Amino acid sequence: MSWLTPMVMEVLIAMSQALVILLGALLLGAVMTVVERRLLGLWQDRYGPNRVGPFGSLQLVADMIKILFKEDWIPPFADRALFVLAPVIGMASLLLAFMIIPLTPNWGVADWHIGLLFFFAMAGINVYAVLLGGWSSGNKYALLGAMRATAQTLSYEVFMGLSLMGVVALAGSFNMRDIVAAQQGLWFIVPQFFGFCTFLIAGVAVTHRHPFDQPEAEQELADGYHIEYAGMKFGMFFIGEYIGMVLVSALIVTLFFGGWLGPWLPPFVWFALKTAALLVLFVLLRASLPRPRYDRMMSFGWRVCLPLTLINLLVTGAAILLLAPAGT
Amino acid sequence: MEVAFYLSGLVAVLATLRVVTSINPIHALLYLIVSLIAVAMVFFALGAPFAGALEVIIYAGAIMVLFVFVVMMLNLDEGVAAQERAWFKPRIWLGPAVLSAILLLVLVATLWRGDIGLVIEGETLTAKAVGTALFGPWLIVVELAAMLLLAALVTASHVGRSQSPDTRGDES
């Protein structure tokens, strides 16, 4: 076993960690599709899917069998290359962003000093999935959905970046592990409460989930940008949305709730518990809120959230300067 | 990192060529996005990950989204493709191509006479270093850029308002 040097072992361990995190994220996204429907049923006083397996636990298998065996149809009027590319971008960019999230002190894929910026980059790329999917379908409703998505993106991306700058200023780094370490005494949700609120709103908008799902509003647009998609291509958009939800929850946990920090329980359990709580919050948002008109949504982003994040950043900066020892 | 630098540089050049030669405007824009991402990779290879990340976030993630949005709204059809094809006759692109080739020659000659000994690597620049540089020796440039952007913002808001008198006031 001469090739099994410590360096090779290190590479193998890092690779297996990356694989486990990737598969875990994917699986959690898939499981969330069923968990969400059950929870929605609970909160809306109905059953939800409860027929397949005990308490509907095998619903996921049934869904998978159905979606995998559907005819993979590409409309003849579509732009073939882009039509195929769009769901790939949608899912891959969100899965890639999991790289920067540190699960426990020793678990995580990438430990970069630009960590947080990588998430912004991937969120920026992710928009093209909706845009290209809607355009290449050659369908009016799909195009309308893509148009709404773009307008919405341009309004929330600005304050999404700014809402996290308070956290970055407090931690003094873009690195996710540094940010977690800086929350040793106090979780950032306390000093950065407005940053948390605005990032939560922007995070929901990134995933195009209720109440920011105007791009795919069933009642008006008959499903928006993925109206022409069928089979596994639709499945990728669909699972991609849930993966985005898991991603944003994990990010919020890392940035505002101290990541793996917590007493008594092992680090991973804390991380998982906090993420699960936020996922449930996402579902609760969908269960309880109506869908606003999309111009209202945009003016809310520009007139309320953007000024709020700017003021938050100003106050945070002033507080840091005031509290910092003089001369540093 | 040299391999990464040359590979992503090659991708950037090829993608940019396809931007010019694409018939379909949306495809041309996609090549432009690929080119911008390749340039970001060049920054990464040179040891400036902060600049690379900003390149993806601002150019590929925000500005190009606007471009794609506008082109999507234009409802381009076969007529546009035919028109584009007509513009690609040698008579039209030959002149600019020759002029650009001369510029390229000048550039290559300048690089050739320069310091050959430089290698493609550098120490990694952190975001903190960039910020310290911007708000230290380059403060006046940052302030000037901020003023310019503010003026642009005010102008854009003014122009946008006066051109749409038929929109209803915000009733809520």
Side-chain angles (χ1 to χ4, degrees), chain A residues 15-29:
Chain A
M15 274 171 68
S16 53
Q17 276 194 6
L19 257 182
V20 168
I21 290 174
L22 182 76
L23 289 179
L26 203 60
L27 206 69
L28 191 53

Side-chain angles (χ1 to χ4, degrees), chain A residues 79 82 128 135 147 150 303, chain B residues 27 30 60 64 69 72 170:
Chain A
D79 189 319
L82 294 186
Y128 289 110
W135 179 78
M147 194 192 88
T150 321
R303 294 195 184 148
Chain B
H27 292 178
L30 277 183
M64 292 315 293
F69 181 59
M72 244 169 50
D170 198 31

Side-chain angles (χ1 to χ4, degrees), chain A residues 235-246:
Chain A
M236 285 175 79
F237 271 126
F238 189 61
I239 304 285
E241 188 182 310
Y242 286 91
I243 289 177
M245 202 166 123
V246 177

Side-chain angles (χ1 to χ4, degrees), chain A residues 198-241:
Chain A
T198 42
F199 183 68
L200 184 69
I201 294 169
V204 180
V206 168
T207 56
H208 301 296
R209 278 184 57 83
H210 219 91
F212 286 90
D213 65 343
Q214 288 87 358
E216 47 187 293
E218 289 91 348
Q219 294 88 339
E220 312 145 43
L221 296 181
D223 247 10
Y225 60 90
H226 50 51
I227 187 169
E228 295 288 352
Y229 283 86
M232 204 47 218
K233 287 203 199 66
F234 169 76
M236 285 175 79
F237 271 126
F238 189 61
I239 304 285
E241 188 182 310

Side-chain angles (χ1 to χ4, degrees), chain B residues 32-118:
Chain B
L32 189 51
I33 295 164
V34 172
S35 158
L36 287 169
I37 294 176
V39 172
M41 289 307 299
V42 169
F43 279 128
F44 274 108
L46 286 174
F50 186 66
L54 284 191
E55 172 101 14
V56 176
I57 295 169
I58 294 173
Y59 284 96
I63 296 179
M64 292 315 293
V65 170
L66 256 187
F67 279 33
V68 174
F69 181 59
V70 171
V71 173
M72 244 169 50
M73 290 293 109
L74 295 179
N75 199 13
L76 304 164
D77 50 7
E78 283 306 305
V80 180
Q83 188 187 31
E84 281 274 339
R85 228 169 262 125
W87 284 343
F88 272 107
K89 295 209 172 91
R91 197 163 52 82
I92 294 180
W93 59 257
L94 216 55
V98 169
L99 292 178
S100 317
I102 295 173
L103 282 180
L104 183 68
L105 270 182
V106 174
L107 185 68
V108 168
T110 322
L111 287 177
W112 202 258
R113 286 154 48 88
D115 198 353
I116 306 280
L118 287 177

